[in-house]
Amino acid sequence: MKGFDIHSALKRTSKKFGKAPGTLEYTGDYKAEPTSIIMYSFDTESFSENEVDDVQKLKRELPKGKVNWIRLHGFRDIPKIRQIGQIFDINSLVLEDALNPYQRAKVEDMGNYLYITLKVFEGGKTLHDINAHQMNIILMDNCVITLNEAREPYLDLILDRIKRSEGRIRGKGHDYFVNAVVDLIVDSYFIVLEGISDNLENLEKKLREKDVKDFVGSVYDLRRLLTSVRRAIWPIRDIVAYLDSGASKLVSDEIKFYIKDIYDHIMHLIETVESLRDVTASLLDLHMTDLSNRMNEIMKMLTIISTLFIPLTFIVGVYGMNFKYMPELDVRWAYPVVWLVMIIIAGLMLLFFKKKDWI
Amino acid sequence: MKGFDIHSALKRTSKKFGKAPGTLEYTGDYKAEPTSIIMYSFDTESFSENEVDDVQKLKRELPKGKVNWIRLHGFRDIPKIRQIGQIFDINSLVLEDALNPYQRAKVEDMGNYLYITLKVFEGGKTLHDINAHQMNIILMDNCVITLNEAREPYLDLILDRIKRSEGRIRGKGHDYFVNAVVDLIVDSYFIVLEGISDNLENLEKKLREKDVKDFVGSVYDLRRLLTSVRRAIWPIRDIVAYLDSGASKLVSDEIKFYIKDIYDHIMHLIETVESLRDVTASLLDLHMTDLSNRMNEIMKMLTIISTLFIPLTFIVGVYGMNFKYMPELDVRWAYPVVWLVMIIIAGLMLLFFKKKDWI
Amino acid sequence: MKGFDIHSALKRTSKKFGKAPGTLEYTGDYKAEPTSIIMYSFDTESFSENEVDDVQKLKRELPKGKVNWIRLHGFRDIPKIRQIGQIFDINSLVLEDALNPYQRAKVEDMGNYLYITLKVFEGGKTLHDINAHQMNIILMDNCVITLNEAREPYLDLILDRIKRSEGRIRGKGHDYFVNAVVDLIVDSYFIVLEGISDNLENLEKKLREKDVKDFVGSVYDLRRLLTSVRRAIWPIRDIVAYLDSGASKLVSDEIKFYIKDIYDHIMHLIETVESLRDVTASLLDLHMTDLSNRMNEIMKMLTIISTLFIPLTFIVGVYGMNFKYMPELDVRWAYPVVWLVMIIIAGLMLLFFKKKDWI
Amino acid sequence: MKGFDIHSALKRTSKKFGKAPGTLEYTGDYKAEPTSIIMYSFDTESFSENEVDDVQKLKRELPKGKVNWIRLHGFRDIPKIRQIGQIFDINSLVLEDALNPYQRAKVEDMGNYLYITLKVFEGGKTLHDINAHQMNIILMDNCVITLNEAREPYLDLILDRIKRSEGRIRGKGHDYFVNAVVDLIVDSYFIVLEGISDNLENLEKKLREKDVKDFVGSVYDLRRLLTSVRRAIWPIRDIVAYLDSGASKLVSDEIKFYIKDIYDHIMHLIETVESLRDVTASLLDLHMTDLSNRMNEIMKMLTIISTLFIPLTFIVGVYGMNFKYMPELDVRWAYPVVWLVMIIIAGLMLLFFKKKDWI
Amino acid sequence: MKGFDIHSALKRTSKKFGKAPGTLEYTGDYKAEPTSIIMYSFDTESFSENEVDDVQKLKRELPKGKVNWIRLHGFRDIPKIRQIGQIFDINSLVLEDALNPYQRAKVEDMGNYLYITLKVFEGGKTLHDINAHQMNIILMDNCVITLNEAREPYLDLILDRIKRSEGRIRGKGHDYFVNAVVDLIVDSYFIVLEGISDNLENLEKKLREKDVKDFVGSVYDLRRLLTSVRRAIWPIRDIVAYLDSGASKLVSDEIKFYIKDIYDHIMHLIETVESLRDVTASLLDLHMTDLSNRMNEIMKMLTIISTLFIPLTFIVGVYGMNFKYMPELDVRWAYPVVWLVMIIIAGLMLLFFKKKDWI
Ligand SMILES: [Mg+2]
Ligand SMILES: [Mg+2]
Ligand SMILES: [Mg+2]
Ligand SMILES: [Mg+2]
Ligand SMILES: [Mg+2]
Ligand SMILES: [Mg+2]
Ligand SMILES: [Mg+2]
Ligand SMILES: [Mg+2]
Ligand SMILES: [Mg+2]
Ligand SMILES: [Mg+2]
Ligand SMILES: [Mg+2]
Ligand SMILES: [Mg+2]
Ligand SMILES: [Mg+2]
Ligand SMILES: [Mg+2]
Ligand SMILES: [Mg+2]
Ligand SMILES: [Mg+2]
Ligand SMILES: [Mg+2]
Ligand SMILES: [Mg+2]
Ligand SMILES: [Mg+2]
Ligand SMILES: [Mg+2]
Ligand SMILES: [Mg+2]
Ligand SMILES: [Mg+2]
Ligand SMILES: [Mg+2]
Ligand SMILES: [Mg+2]
Ligand SMILES: [Mg+2]
Ligand SMILES: [Mg+2]
Ligand SMILES: [Mg+2]
Ligand SMILES: [Mg+2]
Ligand SMILES: [Mg+2]
Ligand SMILES: [Mg+2]
Ligand SMILES: [Mg+2]
């Protein structure tokens, strides 16, 4: 669970103690990768892709009437990132957040641009392989800048869709492009939740089959994961609500319905996450009661056997004593009588257990 | 529990990962049925029912002053559904949601039409047979379109009422028709809750009769069902509140009281669902304490018998030893004295248990 | 607990499935009683009481400047009730709710009249005898109509007060009359809560005296009752808040302070109900810990006795063996040495238990 | 815990069932004391104190430009209290509340006067001696009336401060006087909470020293007390917020900061009460886990000893049998071999326990 | 945990009972240190530092256009603090709060100045060494006054940054200086949370390795610490929200983004604190289930061994009896038959346990 574990997050964050706000520094898990900047420009007719060397020039020559996407990844070259900040007039507080891979999801309306940051979940084969990356999006009126620790596969998916001219993505503005990215990320949460849900279903099945090896540990792990996912999802509601509010002129009315669609997904995610938490709690309750039930059964067994034989063992012990003068020992029918007495005692005991509903 | 289980919902939803928003695709459990479109038109005097072939023509020739209900079911023919969307100018995001049988309940005000979607519960003989269907309603100023995976029996109930001219349904507008459908669906929730309530009552009775076979598993299942129903009900409050708010001119003031009536039902449902959750929690507590009580009783039994006889068995063991020189063995009254000592010890033990209130 | 049990409520409500909204039907527990209508008119000087036969005439001849109270009870004659609805222009949705003895408490502002409905608790000797009736009040500008399943004793209390000219009730308007009825009903909740509180105090006392027969069952019953009462009380806050809001001109400013007084009572009830719920939860915790404590004590007893005697019994068993060649058996001081060894072992055990703080 | 126990409160309140609102009646625990009225007038220069006989005259001759405090205590003389109500034009609903020692804390803005009522806690030596009195304050523009069941020591504290001319109390208006009284009362809550906190600290210490006699009962009592204090504190937030809101012209802007200071105290109290509730819950959890841990230890002891010796006892039992033909008995080295076998068995058992980490 | 423990806080607070509001008194844990006042003035060009003797003169000669920071620490000289209050026109209620080391965090807008108070956590080597100090900041338009019990190391950190001209701190106004102090304090919370998180991670690891010595006590301590930190953090959200609201002209628009940055940190802290609480709860659940599981295992062991050997021991006891007439004893093949019978019984028992899945 790289990239959103609560313990690591605290370790990274506390490393920055005492620094002035706005100090640029990469605090992530990756060895900072070399910084690469690619510029994509597209509209319904054309599509171009260029490696960017001179950022200054890039800013001056941004094509009009096209969607311009500046894709930066790799945080090794901090001075270059600072330079981009200066050229595009991006507040250093924003860049500080962008370099922090444990930044909580949020939107900041900085007036002439919007800064959106949220977690992307990259599913592995198993739940333990799940990684979270930080996605940073800066929406300006003439371009969108994305910043990532490493080349983000999710953005490649979007890029494919652009190249294949799929959906509306080439015919709409910068705001629609941002909407498409956020929509894709939100969709990725369903996959993580599906993984958790599958695991829970599995645990439930095992529990019904009394196969409880590692049960509690697994529930605990899923709960931890759910808590992390939950912490990632809830703030996105506020992001999308802000985009929908019409407070920023960078988001046009035209894409209102697309934002509402994402909002609907977020609500679905939130309800699902809460339901899954419910399920884990119920599973634990089920397990606890099950344990108690089995303990009852075990103790009943012990009690029945002990209660049945301990008195009898005492009786035979009595007649194993070696006293010289024990008149019973010489009586001829004493032995069968002792057996009779013992059988009667055992019978009464069994009746008692029957009445108690123990057998 | 087809159609609203949380695990299936996640599976279906995550299948659509990476698709552009507004991509039409049926993701339900049914093999997509053939698409059928029927058009009903009625007012207080007349009623007509026609199979629709040419949707284009249908749109042009919608009767004025009547309630026009276009009933589509079966999602096999996606192109036809897309065509209807184009002809009636319905956003593809709306159609995407309509084709998603796990869509959460909501209302979307798209300006010239309202899109309402919610779950319908179809009760089976037992709780395990309960199915949920997705009901999709599009309210326009000159028609209502309903979209369902399969022919929906609840709509046939409404149709019957229309044919029998029962209630106000033929004399009022499109909004009243939608209101009648929603009212019927909301009523269906009471039946599901009644089923859960019956089961809980039953479990409670069994618990009081100490018949606890499968108790915890049953509570767990009911709780899962309650969580699902709860998730279906809560969002309807927002739907009805929106309809009542007067924000859309498609809902006339005239039916305000009918909407308020549904709102009242929803509040009743919500309070009931929360109370039933309370009841399940209480039942589990009751069961757990019961288990502890029984364990106490069992252990008391074991302890009394063991504590009583183990020391006595030791004593008789002592005099079963075969040492040559054990002076007591030759004493004449030793045997009765040992009996006396043992009876006194047992008596004291019993007094002690009495004082402890164990017997 | 007739009249507000959650299971019965669901049974009755689901019976109406598929009916058009506004369908009049009595769904209560009583065999519907014959319908009786009495008309009381009073002001500071006069008081009259008349059986009503001709409702049409009644409406035309309502005395001006007096408080006119039309008291209907018994729901056998549905057509008559429908007729009253038509004559007084009461929405059939309102009458539908009035005939539903499980209707949740609410106020509906229908413009020219207010419809208020809430539960009345009629205390029996014990908690199991508590009944709940539905009180329905329609406040118009020239009369108040009350509708009840059966002749409501609480209204007779009000009637007495009117006849005895007690309090302000004869000198004020229709709104004050309604206020007096609601105040009386709210007061009745204190009596039910007092009953629950007495029971809880009793259970607590028993618990401290270790008398726990049926303890958990009783707590469970009280909790169920509390849940029902809670469900009855909370919505009244909204009713009273609405009356206080000044939104309806049928409620004059003059009685504002009386409404605030009821609101204060409701808040008191709500806080009390929540506290009582807290108390039940605490009692259960107390009981559970108590059970665990007692189990510990029982097991300690068993463990001490077993651990003490089982090794000793083994030792005496050894010398009870019948091997030919057991040199110890012939040693003269062997028997006392075995005793010594056993006493030392027992002593060490006891020291160990002492150190463990078990004895 | 006289004066705010939830059970007593319900008993008193339900006694008033059926009375018209505004019926004056004292329902407290004290035998109603004789009614005494004292009038204090003061400003920075002067201070006077007079027993009041003629209330009529008192009202006419209230000194201008001074703080006039009419202090009534003892509720035996209901007619006199009613008379004061008439002379000062106080609503009978307010007087009814003032006479109810279980009235919940609240402020009522009656237009020309404010009615404030809250609980005063009078700390005893131990928590069981804590009493709660009801403080009733009526703030008018030319006087303040306080009403108490009995002479209130807290008001004597204020009186002392006035006589000693301490703080600002003599140089400010009626509102500051009321503020000083409320501030003193709020301070009294800290003392009660300190008592509870001391007790909890003590219980925690005992728990760590495994001294758990009466532990659960004590936690339960503290929790009950906390619930009561909590119920007393929360509504005061609303009172102080109302005073701070500027809605009443009887509270001048000048004392705004003093009210904010009280508000800050209330918030502190609320946070503390919630934290203390948390602490009690944690202590119970700690205790429960502790009990389970000790049970584990006890059972481990029993299991080790039993498992070790029961098989051995069986073996020695075998060779204690008296069969004629038991070849082993005559073998010379049989006895040492049996010992060897038993030692090996015991050793293996001990290894097993070691592996299980039980010893 | 000096300086923010709930028990100490209550002790200190209740000491002030009965004092008029605004009474200056130091109630902290430190022996009040000698009062020292230092004045720092700085802008981008200059920096000066002076011990202050004459406060009167200080006020008159505050440099214009510079940031003037008056740093007071040590609360021994109450009259001097009162004098500063008079000279700078600071309300005595504010000074009272500043002298209270258990004051909850808050902002008070006193019109011409803002008073901000919050806790500073000073991390020790272990969690038990954590101290909390109270930081008091008064922001005026021409100076900032800080008041601390003792020389605050965190302010020395800021001072260093000023001297080294690091960040923006010398080029901005008084509001930015206050912002920098609050930012530093908020950062300190991450370090405390990191400490708690490390401890929890450690406990989790130990739990998985079944090393549970002191487990519950440690969880309890962490939970107490979390509760305290939580109580410290939550109110800061309101402080920062107020600063961001633009309600005070003392906070310029220019630093809006810096305040938003702190707000973001606070939200992160709150979410983290809640998640850590979740983790402690989950750990306890994990431990409890683990205990139950181990108990089950222990009891299974006991039950298997007892159930296996107790009946057999009874059988051998039977043939250890010394009756004269026991025909079996003389039968030649009796001894092997008894062995056979015992082996069969044991075998059946083992099969039974196998079926029960106990072995
Ligand atoms: Mg920072
Ligand atoms: Mg969280
Ligand atoms: Mg969150
Ligand atoms: Mg749980
Ligand atoms: Mg989408
Ligand atoms: Mg999507
Ligand atoms: Mg959608
Ligand atoms: Mg309906
Ligand atoms: Mg849910
Ligand atoms: Mg929901
Ligand atoms: Mg209705
Ligand atoms: Mg539970
Ligand atoms: Mg209905
Ligand atoms: Mg009343
Ligand atoms: Mg409820
Ligand atoms: Mg409710
Ligand atoms: Mg009152
Ligand atoms: Mg519970
Ligand atoms: Mg609890
Ligand atoms: Mg009353
Ligand atoms: Mg104070
Ligand atoms: Mg409470
Ligand atoms: Mg409260
Ligand atoms: Mg203060
Ligand atoms: Mg707990
Ligand atoms: Mg104060
Ligand atoms: Mg910062
Ligand atoms: Mg707290
Ligand atoms: Mg808090
Ligand atoms: Mg930041
Ligand atoms: Mg828990």
Side-chain angles (χ1 to χ4, degrees), chain E residues 92-108:
Chain E
S92 63
L93 291 168
V94 164
L95 292 179
E96 187 191 11
D97 289 346
L99 293 183
N100 172 11
Y102 294 106
Q103 175 60 42
R104 65 186 284 275
K106 65 169 177 174
V107 61
E108 295 283 2

Side-chain angles (χ1 to χ4, degrees), chain E residues 166-196:
Chain E
E166 202 183 88
R168 295 160 205 75
I169 202 161
R170 280 173 71 165
K172 304 230 166 191
H174 290 93
D175 49 359
Y176 185 81
F177 172 72
V178 169
N179 175 82
V181 173
V182 173
D183 177 68
L184 189 74
I185 291 170
V186 167
D187 282 355
S188 81
Y189 292 178
F190 283 101
I191 295 176
V192 178
L193 287 186
E194 193 201 347
I196 295 175

